[in-house]
């Protein structure tokens, strides 16, 4: 009505005959001067309040005035001037007596004020740092489109013969049009960055933050990276920095804070006692405080408050919900717009049927379809982007929170996007008949619910099995040397495969369930359509199924089909997420160490002379692990905070913890370098001779857990770390047990003695053997093997120059992640990789010998711990995870098909083909049915049409079920085969492989990559094949309906292919980079767990948290562009290609409408409406195929690495009773670690007769351990041979050899499992034999006292047994095997004197007729041996009885003198 009042002049009223029912449509002037001018204004005013609020909360800085900004402001004022010129002109006309319609006053006023608002926004955005405005760009675009419509009308009016032209208003309008166009162009241009922007100092900032609005909605900002990735493989240096809001520093603290709040709320709150408001409980009349307490207790008993589990989901929602909620807005808009397609299709079919309709209407519908589809594309991918970024932030935050918990590693599996099935209404189209289809959908709901519940059950079982398998693999990788020495690989392979078998059983059940699920989800839309059409045509003969009803309904059904197709993935993801959330919640709820348990006072505020004070403390054990000396750095649990330290604390554990870093960084441990003090520390800790032989001095990289250092070297590095810290209190947990006597003496003199560097410090030393410190040191020990300690006396340290100090916690040695056992005896070699040359260089890294395996390379000066010049940074030991480049080879796909089984693979493809051919046939049949002529208001042969349509549906269903089954089961076959191959290849790898490969890389293969093969690849194959056949089917139908489309489909197909190939080059490499950057996250996590007591003692938690965050961010730097490229950049472009297919299909239908059947038009356009989604999905799935098949490529990677000799060689296998005598003969034996390096063992010619007891001694680095490695063929000989009882050991299988020799290693490694399994993993021996071995090993009484006896469950690493008990278990292993040759690798270094005596006496009695070779640091253990072999620099220097060698006064004599034996 207001419009009619405003447009009161005759001839300005609305007229549909002018607007629609004409071949040359136009809008009335009334509509032009109101709706078309007001629409952009209403949009801007409606957006302004929300946008202003947003800007007030998101200030990005201040942009200086630029020419661009000045131009936009000037144009804004010009537009205001033009609008108000119209207004003043209207006032002037009225003053001249000319009647002016009110609209000519209202519109210029509203438009002018709106232009002032737009100009104000331009300046507001500049002050808030907005470089490109989406709000204003949309406003100018709307204004321009409305103005162009008016412009067309003005041109048409001017061309009429009797046209009346309003020159002034026309002129101002043309000026207005040009100015709006200029504003639109300027709005597309990016302004300069704000002052003080964080990206200014970033060398490689993410371009997203500074991208224009158009660039953001089309994801154009990532194109630069895509081009670079297409030209050459992307590298880590090409990746952008993360946006600030996505970094760990931003997201983790918020989640941790919210979790702590939620956790605190969920804990049981004390019940408050209700008192009157005027009465204080402490002053209650008629009773004392005690009475009040009693009353409170009574109330608590009566009404306990229930404790609820904290909700991690609620915490995640609170942390990330506000941002994630934006996705709901985008999704709602997209879902509403989806229904525009079928509605436009209805209008298009009506247009084809109406021969009198003007042609422009058909073109209008075609353009509408294109615009609608493009808007859907842009909105949908904003939704996806928000979802994926939310998922990425959740992943970062959860990993950060778990790391901060510093406990067992948890699996994180929170899926980003969540898709929903939309209810679609067909009621208007088919009337009540659609209720039949709705009934089918409702019937499927309980079926789907049951399937979801079963899926969750299987998911929980699968994750449990997977956890057990990965835990066992971790143990295998950590104890691989022991497995190889004992030849236990096959036993543990069987253990892994038993767990894997259980895992595969669950996966198989899940696969069957998934196949049935796929069958129902694919068939549901067809069943809905069939039931709806059947009811529609059978309830009333006058119901005619014409093209409009059939294909509009089909288009609506197809909207339903796509979400139903991907529903399996959604349900699977939701189930995984819920299971993971529960596991994470339980994990994050674990009890933490109480920070107040230890009071740490600064030295100056100590309030007395006591450096450590313990008062009435009770130490308890967590999960069966003993409380230890590391209670002082950070206790497992104290009854109350009653332990205080004064000053800083340094801790040296018995098991040296070494980081995968340079030797220098291991000593500095995050502290700044003080050159002179650093050199003094290195010299005092006897590390200078080691630095001389390291390839890059103290810059040499040390492998994980110090694999390329000997036990003694690791302990000295650990000691140097503590000494360099210059702390006030030092806690030593027997750190020198692994060093030679003369090295120990040097360290005592220079570090802990009266003249040592720690002479003025407080020193507490624990361990089985305490050195006699001068000056009356007190000792505290455990009576027997009791685990209870009474701590209540002080020990004077006058020799250390400090007053009386209470000994607080002198306990047996740290356990848990840094247990009392020491590192394995040195494999005195490492694999060193020169980064520059890219070649592996293996060499011996020995400790205090000046021997260098490099031959003639000049030595560095002893005073200079760093190597000079170019080699300083050249050597690395640990290989980074490899990144493959280029296209995934076809052979990888072929290998996967072979793993499935070629027959099964081709059957699957055939069934896919059957399914889609029957689907095409059924829809084509429907088009023929709709074109069936109507006779007397009804269609004939309805039953025939319906029967064939249903029959084709049944064929489709059978084919779907068939291919779902074959693909799912094929996936299980492939998974089993690939895992078995990987496990076999890894176990067959030599020790050098494990020394240079971080465990994180291997764990990554067995967890993430294998999980991809288990779960992702079969689903992706189904989706890929389905999408491929859907796209091909749509193209066939469009070509069938409109053959002229053959002109346009091939070029569009080519464009599609080029875009896809262009994209895959970057996508594939980003996936590889993301996968590779994930391994350091695992490795750092494991490293932290192993060294947690040291990190806490040095109070370095914050630094390690920062390092973890940095590694996670590095991983996300590859993940972020991969999700933007993967799903967004590509999808927007491909959907645009798909949208043009829709456009051309409908355009050709309009052009050919006089020669086409309506049924064929409906079929063609309904298929073209699907093609956008399926094209997008096809490319996503083809890229998913390629990126996920990378997992197969990475699983196969280790099949190409070097392997050790065969385990069994049947042709040369020795007799079963070999060796009978135990005679070992070294004939000119030599050993080197690589062909082009010098020998580390030279010309060894020694014959050891059967039954001899031989000690092997020498300075550290002399080659003692190399001899052992050669005997067990851990390293193969370079020259000469070893003959055992007449058999050359190089000719027989490794297991034939290693089963016949027994070693008691320095490191008593146990595995999680029963005690019996740890003694006899192959179950070769009877219980009686096992008990006999335990009795001889002095363990029978201990094991008999255990509730489960031989089935007693050992924890990981045997942590629930003491170190002495573990060493006795190793002795029992040797007694059980009872081979003719026994090797002791300094087996008693870490045990107390009592256990040492037990072991030595047992060896003397039980191995009396065996050949015993003992590598000894402490010479007193071998003084009664038959012979002693003295090695020096890899050669035998002396050989004879101990007494003879002492008389010779050679090397052996000097070593005995250093040890205080002569």
């Amino acid at each position: 009505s207001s419009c009619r009042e405003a447009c009161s002049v005759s001839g300005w009223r609305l007229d549909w005959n002018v607007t629609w029912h004409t071949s040359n449509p136009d809008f009335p002037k009334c509509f032009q001067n109101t709706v078309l001018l007001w629409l952009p204004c209403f949009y801007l005013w409606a957006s302004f309040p929300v946008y202003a609020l947003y800007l007030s909360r998101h200030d990005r800085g201040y942009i200086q005035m630029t020419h661009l900004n000045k131009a936009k402001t000037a144009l804004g004022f010009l537009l205001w001037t033009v609008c108000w010129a119209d207004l003043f002109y209207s006032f002037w006309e009225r003053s001249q007596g000319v009647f002016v319609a009110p609209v000519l006053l209202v519109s210029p006023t509203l438009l002018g004020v709106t232009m002032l608002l737009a100009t104000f926004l331009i300046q507001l955005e500049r002050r808030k740092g907005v470089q490109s405005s989406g709000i204003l760009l949309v406003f100018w675009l709307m204004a321009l489109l409305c103005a162009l419509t008016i412009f067309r009308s003005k041109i048409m009016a001017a061309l009429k013969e009797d046209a009346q032209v309003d020159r002034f208003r026309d002129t101002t309008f043309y000026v207005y049009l040009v100015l709006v166009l200029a504003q639109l162009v300027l709005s597309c241009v990016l302004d300069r960055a704000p002052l003080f922007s964080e990206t200014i100092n970033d060398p490689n900032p993410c371009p997203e933050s500074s991208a224009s609005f158009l660039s953001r909605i089309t994801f154009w900002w990532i194109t630069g990276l895509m081009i670079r990735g297409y030209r050459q493989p992307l590298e880590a240096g090409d990746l952008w920095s993360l946006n600030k809001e996505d970094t760990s520093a931003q997201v983790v603290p918020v989640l941790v804070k919210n979790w702590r709040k939620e956790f605190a709320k969920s804990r049981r709150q004390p019940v408050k006692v209700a008192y009157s408001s005027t009465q204080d409980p402490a002053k209650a009349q008629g009773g004392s405080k005690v009475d009040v307490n009693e009353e409170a207790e009574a109330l608590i008993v009566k009404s306990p408050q229930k404790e609820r589990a904290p909700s991690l989901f609620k915490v995640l929602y609170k942390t990330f919900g506000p941002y994630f909620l934006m996705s709901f807005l985008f999704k709602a808009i997209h879902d509403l717009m989806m229904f525009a397609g079928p509605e436009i299709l209805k209008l298009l079919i009506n247009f084809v049927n109406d021969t009198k309709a003007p042609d422009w209407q058909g073109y209008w519908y075609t353009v509408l379809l294109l615009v609608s589809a493009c808007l859907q594309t842009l909105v949908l991918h904003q939704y996806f982007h928000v979802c994926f970024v939310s998922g990425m932030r959740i992943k970062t935050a959860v990993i950060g929170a778990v790391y901060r918990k510093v406990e067992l590693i948890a699996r994180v599996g929170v899926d980003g996007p969540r898709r929903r099935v939309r209810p679609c209404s067909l009621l208007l189209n088919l009337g009540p008949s659609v209720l039949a289809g709705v009934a089918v959908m409702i019937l499927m709901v309980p079926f789907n619910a049951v399937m979801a519940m079963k899926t969750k059950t299987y998911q929980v079982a699968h994750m449990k099995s997977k956890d057990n398998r990965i835990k066992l693999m971790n143990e295998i990788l950590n104890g691989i040397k022991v497995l190889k020495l004992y030849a236990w690989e096959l036993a543990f392979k069987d253990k892994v495969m038993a767990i894997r078998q259980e895992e595969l059983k669950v996966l198989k059940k899940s696969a069957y369930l998934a196949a049935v699920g796929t069958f129902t989800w694919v068939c549901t839309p067809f069943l809905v359509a069939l039931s709806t059409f059947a009811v529609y045509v059978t309830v009333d003969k006058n119901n005619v199924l014409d093209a409009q009803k059939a294909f509009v309904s089909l288009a609506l059904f197809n909207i339903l089909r796509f979400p139903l197709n991907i529903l399996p993935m959604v349900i699977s993801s939701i189930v995984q997420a819920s299971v993971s959330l529960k596991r994470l919640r339980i994990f994050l709820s674990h009890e933490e160490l109480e920070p107040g348990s230890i009071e740490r006072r600064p030295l100056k505020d100590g309030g007395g002379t006591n450096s450590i004070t313990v008062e009435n403390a009770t130490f308890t054990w967590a999960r069966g692990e003993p409380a230890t000396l590391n209670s002082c750095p950070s206790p497992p649990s104290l009854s109350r905070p009653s332990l205080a330290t004064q000053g800083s604390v340094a801790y040296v554990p018995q098991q040296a913890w070494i980081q995968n870093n340079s030797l220098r960084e291991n000593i500095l441990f995050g502290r700044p370098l003080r050159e002179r003090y650093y050199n003094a520390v290195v010299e005092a800790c006897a590390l200078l001779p080691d630095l001389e032989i390291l390839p890059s001095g103290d810059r040499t990289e040390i492998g994980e857990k110090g694999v390329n250092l000997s036990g003694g070297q690791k302990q000295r590095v650990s000691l140097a770390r503590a000494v360099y810290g210059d702390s006030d209190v030092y806690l030593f947990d027997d750190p020198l047990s692994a060093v030679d006597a003369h090295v120990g003496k040097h360290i005592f003199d220079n570090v802990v003695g009266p003249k040592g560097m720690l002479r003025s410090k407080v020193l507490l030393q624990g361990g089985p053997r305490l050195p006699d410190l001068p000056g009356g040191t007190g000792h505290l020990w455990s009576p027997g093997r009791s685990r209870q300690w009474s701590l209540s006396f002080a020990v004077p340290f006058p020799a250390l120059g400090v007053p009386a100090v209470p000994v607080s916690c002198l306990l047996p040695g740290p356990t848990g992640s840094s247990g009392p056992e020491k590192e394995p005896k040195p494999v005195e070699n490492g694999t060193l990789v020169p980064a520059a040359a890219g070649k592996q260089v293996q060499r011996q890294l020995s400790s205090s010998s000046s021997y260098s395996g490099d031959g003639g390379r000049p030595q560095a000066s002893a005073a200079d711990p760093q190597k000079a010049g170019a080699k300083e940074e050249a050597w690395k030991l640990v290989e980074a995870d490899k990144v493959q480049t280029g296209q995934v080879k076809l052979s990888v796909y072929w290998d996967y098909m072979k793993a499935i089984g070629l027959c099964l693979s081709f059957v699957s493809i055939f069934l896919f083909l059957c399914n889609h051919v029957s689907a095409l046939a059924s829809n084509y049949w429907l088009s023929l049915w709709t074109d069936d002529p109507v006779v007397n208001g009804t269609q004939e042969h309805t039953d025939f049409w319906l029967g064939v349509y249903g029959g084709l549906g049944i064929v489709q269903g059978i084919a779907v079920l068939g291919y779902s089954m074959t693909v799912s089961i094929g996936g299980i076959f492939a998974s089993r085969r690939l895992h078995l191959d990987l496990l076999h290849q890894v176990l067959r790898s030599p020790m050098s492989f494990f020394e240079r490969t971080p465990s994180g890389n291997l764990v990554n293969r067995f967890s993430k990559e294998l999980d991809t093969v288990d779960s992702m690849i079969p689903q992706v194959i189904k989706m890929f094949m389905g999408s491929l056949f859907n796209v091909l089917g749509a193209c066939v139908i469009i070509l069938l309906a409109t053959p002229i489309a053959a002109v346009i489909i091939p070029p569009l197909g080519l464009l599609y292919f080029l875009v896809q190939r262009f994209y895959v080059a970057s996508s594939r490499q980003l996936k590889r980079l993301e996968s590779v950057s994930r391994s350091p996250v695992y490795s750092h996590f494991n490293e932290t767990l192993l060294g947690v007591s040291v990190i806490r003692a040095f109070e370095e938690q914050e630094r390690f948290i920062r390092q973890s965050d940095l590694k996670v961010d590095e991983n996300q730097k590859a993940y972020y562009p991969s999700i933007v490229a993967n799903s967004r950049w590509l999808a927007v472009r491909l959907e645009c290609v798909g949208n043009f297919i829709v456009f051309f299909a409908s355009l050709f239908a309009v052009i050919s409408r006089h020669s086409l059947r309506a049924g064929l038009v409906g079929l063609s356009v309904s298929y073209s409406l699907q093609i956008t989604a399926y094209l997008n999905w096809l490319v996503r799935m083809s890229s998913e195929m390629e990126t996920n098949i990378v997992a197969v490529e990475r699983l196969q990677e280790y099949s190409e690495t070097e392997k050790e000799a065969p385990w069994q060689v049947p042709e040369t296998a020795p007799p079963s009773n070999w060796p009978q005598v135990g005679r070992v003969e070294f004939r000119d034996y030599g050993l080197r670690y690589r062909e082009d390096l010098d020998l580390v063992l030279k010309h060894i010619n020694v014959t050891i007769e059967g039954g001899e007891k031989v000690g092997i001694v020498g300075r550290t680095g002399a080659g003692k351990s190399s001899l052992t490695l050669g005997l067990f063929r851990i390293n193969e000989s370079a020259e000469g041979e070893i003959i055992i009882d007449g058999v050359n050991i190089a000719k027989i299988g490794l297991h034939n050899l290693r089963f016949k020799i027994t070693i008691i290693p320095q490191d008593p490694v146990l595995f999680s499992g029963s005690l019996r399994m740890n003694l006899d993993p192959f179950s070769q021996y009877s219980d009686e034999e096992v008990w006999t071995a335990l009795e001889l090993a002095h363990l029978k009484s201990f094991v008999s006292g255990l509730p489960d006896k031989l089935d007693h469950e050992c924890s990981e690493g045997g942590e629930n047994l003491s170190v002495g008990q573990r060493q006795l278990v190793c002795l029992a292993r040797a007694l059980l095997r009872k081979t003719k040759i026994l090797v002791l690798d300094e087996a008693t270094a870490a045990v107390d004197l009592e256990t040492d005596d037990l072991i030595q006496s047992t060896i003397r009695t039980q191995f009396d007729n065996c050949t015993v070779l003992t590598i000894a640091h402490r010479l007193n253990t071998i003084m009664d041996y038959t012979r002693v072999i003295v090695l020096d620099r890899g050669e035998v220097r002396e050989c004879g009885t101990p007494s003879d060698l002492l008389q010779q006064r050679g090397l052996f004599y000097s070593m005995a003198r250093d040890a205080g034996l002569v």
Side-chain angles (χ1 to χ4, degrees), residues 169 205 256 389 480 526 581 837 849 870 884 914 1054 1089 1120 1217:
R169 285 196 177 87
V256 170
V389 170
I480 189 69
F526 182 83
L581 280 173
S849 160
Q884 302 289 337
C914 290
L1054 180 64
L1089 291 174
Y1120 184 60
N1217 59 354

Side-chain angles (χ1 to χ4, degrees), residues 989-1294:
S989 298
M991 273 307 298
S992 56
F993 167 81
F994 297 97
E995 284 159 10
R996 67 172 182 266
T997 306
S999 60
N1001 294 11
L1002 291 164
V1003 172
N1004 192 6
R1005 299 296 193 282
F1006 281 101
S1007 55
K1008 185 71 176 73
E1009 311 295 358
L1010 194 63
D1011 199 40
T1012 301
V1013 174
D1014 284 349
S1015 310
M1016 290 298 298
I1017 293 181
Q1019 276 194 345
V1020 170
I1021 288 173
K1022 279 194 273 193
M1023 296 289 176
F1024 170 74
M1025 296 295 286
S1027 304
L1028 177 65
F1029 282 113
N1030 277 320
V1031 169
L1032 292 174
C1035 290
V1036 167
I1037 291 290
I1038 292 168
L1039 288 169
L1040 198 65
T1042 50
I1044 193 175
V1047 176
I1048 202 68
I1049 283 183
L1052 285 176
L1054 180 64
L1055 178 63
Y1056 159 88
F1057 177 76
L1058 291 174
V1059 169
Q1060 199 259 359
R1061 293 321 300 168
F1062 174 74
Y1063 148 81
V1064 163
S1066 301
S1067 162
R1068 182 179 53 228
Q1069 204 62 12
L1070 285 168
K1071 182 79 173 177
R1072 284 168 169 160
L1073 288 169
E1074 191 269 330
S1075 186
V1076 163
S1077 62
R1078 202 187 311 118
S1079 295
V1081 177
Y1082 289 143
S1083 294
H1084 185 255
F1085 210 119
N1086 289 333
E1087 188 173 77
T1088 302
L1089 291 174
L1090 289 169
V1092 69
S1093 58
V1094 176
I1095 294 166
R1096 286 180 191 148
F1098 284 89
E1099 295 186 290
E1100 289 285 347
Q1101 294 97 317
E1102 284 303 316
R1103 180 166 68 88
F1104 275 79
I1105 285 170
R1106 284 197 303 274
Q1107 282 182 8
S1108 172
D1109 288 351
L1110 189 66
K1111 289 178 191 300
V1112 172
D1113 286 351
E1114 282 297 312
N1115 180 230
Q1116 300 291 42
K1117 270 170 64 175
Y1119 178 69
Y1120 184 60
S1122 80
I1123 56 171
V1124 177
N1126 215 11
S1127 307
R1128 312 291 69 86
W1129 183 93
L1130 176 74
V1132 167
R1133 278 140 193 80
L1134 288 183
E1135 284 194 23
C1136 286
V1137 173
N1139 294 341
F1140 275 100
I1141 291 177
V1142 177
F1143 173 75
F1144 284 113
S1146 52
L1147 179 65
F1148 293 142
V1150 169
I1151 292 170
S1152 315
R1153 67 174 174 142
H1154 297 296
S1155 60
L1156 275 181
R1157 293 183 289 113
L1160 217 47
V1161 172
L1163 182 65
S1164 171
V1165 176
S1166 66
Y1167 259 96
S1168 72
L1169 285 172
Q1170 293 179 73
I1171 206 170
T1172 306
Y1174 282 123
L1175 262 179
N1176 176 21
W1177 200 243
L1178 173 61
V1179 173
R1180 281 184 62 187
M1181 286 302 108
S1182 61
S1183 61
E1184 282 287 308
M1185 262 289 266
E1186 190 152 2
T1187 50
N1188 281 306
I1189 210 79
V1190 167
V1192 176
E1193 181 184 62
R1194 286 168 67 77
L1195 290 183
Q1196 292 182 317
E1197 209 173 278
Y1198 294 136
S1199 63
E1200 295 158 15
T1201 55
E1202 59 174 322
K1203 298 290 174 284
E1204 58 185 2
W1207 286 338
Q1208 305 283 350
V1209 182
E1211 300 81 32
T1212 59
S1216 58
N1217 59 354
W1218 174 88
Q1220 290 179 304
V1221 180
R1223 186 174 190 268
V1224 182
E1225 189 180 350
F1226 291 87
R1227 295 180 182 172
D1228 202 30
Y1229 184 75
L1231 182 73
R1232 58 160 59 96
Y1233 292 118
R1234 213 188 73 169
E1235 287 183 10
D1236 56 348
L1237 293 178
D1238 286 350
L1239 295 166
V1240 291
L1241 288 176
K1242 309 170 201 169
H1243 311 300
I1244 307 290
N1245 284 289
V1246 175
T1247 300
I1248 299 163
E1249 296 299 334
E1252 271 197 293
K1253 308 292 180 284
V1254 177
I1256 301 168
V1257 300
R1259 305 284 187 189
T1260 309
K1264 304 186 297 291
S1265 290
S1266 300
L1267 205 61
T1268 311
L1269 300 181
L1271 191 61
F1272 281 87
R1273 286 178 63 194
I1274 298 293
N1275 289 93
E1276 299 287 355
S1277 64
E1279 60 185 36
E1281 56 193 15
I1282 301 174
I1283 308 293
I1284 298 178
D1285 278 11
V1287 175
N1288 184 346
I1289 65 168
K1291 307 288 185 190
I1292 62 175
L1294 289 179

Side-chain angles (χ1 to χ4, degrees), residues 656-671 673 678-679 681-683 685-722 724 832 845-848 864-867 872-873 875-878 1087 1103:
W657 174 67
I658 305 295
Q659 287 183 274
N660 177 203
N661 210 327
S662 72
L663 190 136
R664 175 189 284 192
E665 289 304 320
N666 266 288
I667 295 173
L668 297 181
F669 206 52
R671 294 177 288 263
L673 175 66
Y678 172 78
N679 291 342
V681 168
V682 168
E683 205 283 324
C685 295
L687 281 169
L688 276 180
D690 304 308
L691 298 184
E692 289 180 15
I693 60 166
L694 290 172
S696 299
D698 63 354
R699 303 286 183 90
T700 302
E701 187 190 19
I702 308 303
E704 273 192 350
K705 293 178 277 186
V707 292
N708 53 328
L709 296 180
S710 72
Q713 286 171 320
K714 283 184 281 193
Q715 290 291 18
R716 296 201 298 280
V717 171
S718 178
L719 179 65
R721 176 198 294 143
Y724 187 80
L832 295 153
L845 298 182
S846 50
S847 63
S848 54
D864 178 17
Q866 302 167 36
K867 293 286 170 184
E872 202 169 75
E873 298 291 343
W875 299 79
K876 285 179 76 63
L877 166 80
V878 175
E1087 188 173 77
R1103 180 166 68 88

Side-chain angles (χ1 to χ4, degrees), residues 677 679-688 719 723 732 736 742-760:
Y677 185 66
N679 291 342
V681 168
V682 168
E683 205 283 324
C685 295
L687 281 169
L688 276 180
L719 179 65
V723 175
F732 280 15
L736 304 181
H742 71 287
V743 178
K745 186 171 182 295
H746 173 95
I747 290 171
F748 184 85
D749 291 343
N750 290 278
V751 178
V752 299
K755 296 179 181 178
M757 296 184 78
L758 304 184
R759 59 186 175 276
S760 60

Side-chain angles (χ1 to χ4, degrees), residues 444-458 513:
M444 298 308 292
V445 169
F447 182 76
N448 288 342
V450 170
M451 288 197 45
M453 286 166 62
K454 291 296 289 179
T455 304
K456 182 169 183 176
T457 307
Y458 293 149
L513 203 64

